[in-house]
Amino acid sequence: MIRTNRRTALGLTGSALMAAMTGCTAASSLGDEAEPDASKAGSKQAKSTPKLIGDGSTSDTGPQPHQPTLPDLRPGQAPPQFVVFSWDGGGETDAHLLTRFRKVAQDVGASMTIFLSGLYTLRGADASRYRPPRNGVGRSDIPFLSDESVRRTIEGVGAAWLEGHEIGTHYNGHFCVGSGSVGNWSSADWAQEIDQAMWMVEHWRTTTGWTDIPSLPFDYSKELMGSRTPCLLGSKTLIPTAAKLGWRYDSSTTGRQVWPTLFEGTQVWDLPMPQIPFPGHSFEVLAMDYNYMANQSGPQPSKDASKYPAWKDQALGALMAAHERAHTSNRAPLIIGNHFEQWNGGIYMDAVEEAMRSMAAASETHLVSFKQLVQWLDRQDPILLQHLRGYDVGVSPEGGWASFGAE
């Protein structure tokens, strides 16, 4: 599809954006361009000579390298089993978890989605440049990173994109409670927040003054095509804004392990966080690390290390049971959410790594980014996709996949 310039689509003038961002310089005007088809990109490397954008924080290096060729739907054949491992925030702290999972993905041939918090490219010394909707200037419910971590994040995100991973957004201040919560935001509030997230990523050279690290190797106005909201709140008012921007998906709702649909009246795919089996419990759990912890130790990590092994087994068991259920039935895409965290001794990170390695080795299973999944969905026969939506959780064609498409 052809992207519309983001600020034009939202009706935000340069003066309005400047009013929202004290001390900001105007972003450069970028032309529209068709997105490359991932199925044709293969492992083609990015251009060696980047075209700098704006203040040089970002650049156009051409089609993203290391994009997979994915099998299409065929009548009489089982669909591919897609798994999306996604990361909220994307900050590279002293724990170096972004580096760790880039290495895991490289080992197993996986692509992932990193929902970057724009705030993680802004130093704490520059907090006053952020004017969050319905909150005070410079305020955030997540901490600003150290200068060293901001530098590592910028470097790590750029390297991740070159390795084939998608860079989405997790917005900025992560407001989940009170009157300023994103759950109370209007569509205009979301537009303001998105513009600021874009500005932070596109102007880190202006704010930091750093010239000794590479530009990000992508044009964020074209790369950014989807999001996950803080605490999965506010999607109802976000979607109209996302649709105006030409975004292609959102993963801020919750749902079941079934094939996805578009948000009503839009071309934005609804890719919800699913409920999945939870070993040792009588209920299912949302497929995200925080939710395992909340049902094991509560909203905060526990200091009782004796419980860590059993809790880790439950988290890993949930992920593997979700894959097994989909793989042996309706083949619905499995969406998994995570944070770069070390809760309860790092057991959830260990569980995610083991799950990634196991799932990557499973037959007909593809570990993809949201961007890759959406591009795949867009090019499939809509009649075959509609057939897939008819299979509930744990259900596959009565006559087996040999009968798929004949209904």
Side-chain angles (χ1 to χ4, degrees):
M1 64 172 287
I2 302 295
R3 281 294 175 87
T4 303
N5 180 279
R6 175 162 285 105
R7 292 174 179 81
T8 301
L10 289 177
L12 293 179
T13 64
S15 59
L17 181 60
M18 290 289 286
M21 296 292 298
T22 299
C24 297
T25 58
S28 61
S29 177
L30 305 176
D32 296 337
E33 179 176 315
E35 292 185 3
D37 184 344
S39 68
K40 298 178 181 178
S43 60
K44 182 179 179 181
Q45 298 297 315
K47 297 176 183 177
S48 58
T49 304
K51 178 182 178 182
L52 297 181
I53 298 169
D55 70 352
S57 296
T58 59
S59 59
D60 183 354
T61 59
Q64 185 176 14
H66 303 297
Q67 297 302 288
T69 299
L70 302 170
D72 289 321
L73 290 175
R74 295 285 184 267
Q77 295 181 10
Q81 177 62 63
F82 294 117
V83 183
V84 180
F85 283 91
S86 56
W87 301 90
D88 292 3
E92 180 74 302
T93 64
D94 292 343
H96 298 283
L97 291 170
L98 173 55
T99 297
R100 172 181 172 179
F101 282 95
R102 283 173 46 215
K103 176 62 166 60
V104 174
Q106 186 175 43
D107 288 348
V108 302
S111 297
M112 308 179 294
T113 292
I114 299 167
F115 287 123
L116 177 64
S117 293
L119 212 67
Y120 289 167
T121 63
L122 186 72
R123 298 179 307 162
D126 297 307
S128 62
R129 290 182 180 267
Y130 177 39
R131 299 200 167 196
R134 308 194 185 203
N135 287 274
V137 174
R139 184 174 169 238
S140 172
D141 278 1
I142 55 173
F144 286 82
L145 299 180
S146 68
D147 286 6
E148 293 78 8
S149 290
V150 170
R151 175 183 288 267
R152 284 193 294 257
T153 298
I154 294 167
E155 292 176 317
V157 165
W161 188 87
L162 288 172
E163 292 160 1
H165 307 300
E166 177 192 7
I167 312 302
T169 186
H170 197 47
Y171 303 97
N172 302 311
H174 209 279
F175 303 106
C176 295
V177 297
S179 61
S181 166
V182 300
N184 298 322
W185 285 7
S186 67
S187 293
D189 290 333
W190 282 113
Q192 180 186 346
E193 179 80 345
I194 292 165
D195 263 323
Q196 294 189 81
M198 293 285 297
W199 191 92
M200 292 174 197
V201 173
E202 294 174 335
H203 290 83
W204 58 263
R205 285 208 193 280
T206 295
T207 56
T208 66
W210 296 335
T211 59
D212 59 334
I213 57 177
S215 302
L216 291 171
F218 51 81
D219 180 344
Y220 204 35
S221 69
K222 298 173 183 175
E223 168 67 10
L224 182 54
M225 62 186 295
S227 74
R228 180 171 295 135
T229 62
C231 302
L232 306 182
L233 296 173
S235 63
K236 184 176 181 180
T237 52
L238 166 66
I239 296 307
T241 296
K244 288 180 181 179
L245 293 173
W247 285 9
R248 298 311 324 287
Y249 74 88
D250 185 72
S251 186
S252 306
T253 59
T254 60
R256 302 162 70 243
Q257 282 189 270
V258 294
W259 281 86
T261 60
L262 297 168
F263 285 99
E264 185 176 359
T266 75
Q267 291 300 306
V268 182
W269 286 96
D270 181 7
L271 301 176
M273 296 290 300
Q275 297 285 340
I276 62 175
F278 197 18
H281 298 80
S282 60
F283 53 87
E284 296 197 334
V285 67
L286 202 68
M288 178 172 277
D289 49 7
Y290 177 82
N291 296 78
Y292 316 143
M293 180 181 74
N295 284 287
Q296 291 171 334
S297 63
Q300 299 297 325
S302 170
K303 295 181 179 179
D304 186 355
S306 68
K307 296 180 179 179
Y308 293 170
W311 287 344
K312 183 244 181 171
D313 288 346
Q314 287 181 345
L316 176 59
L319 294 171
M320 296 311 300
H323 176 267
E324 177 72 9
R325 180 165 71 180
H327 190 263
T328 58
S329 60
N330 63 6
R331 291 287 180 98
L334 171 58
I335 294 167
I336 297 168
N338 308 287
H339 303 77
F340 291 133
E341 45 77 11
Q342 295 177 294
W343 302 324
N344 287 339
I347 59 173
Y348 307 112
M349 297 295 91
D350 292 342
V352 169
E353 178 172 346
E354 289 188 36
M356 285 183 71
R357 293 186 183 279
S358 295
M359 292 181 195
S363 64
E364 300 177 313
T365 297
H366 304 266
L367 276 53
V368 299
S369 68
F370 280 114
K371 181 178 181 179
Q372 293 160 1
L373 175 59
V374 164
Q375 289 173 332
W376 183 90
L377 287 167
D378 282 345
R379 72 170 188 262
Q380 302 312 303
D381 181 340
I383 295 176
L384 292 180
L385 284 177
Q386 189 60 34
H387 282 312
L388 290 176
R389 295 188 189 106
Y391 306 137
D392 203 350
V393 178
V395 176
S396 55
E398 289 186 7
W401 287 109
S403 65
F404 172 58
E407 297 94 327

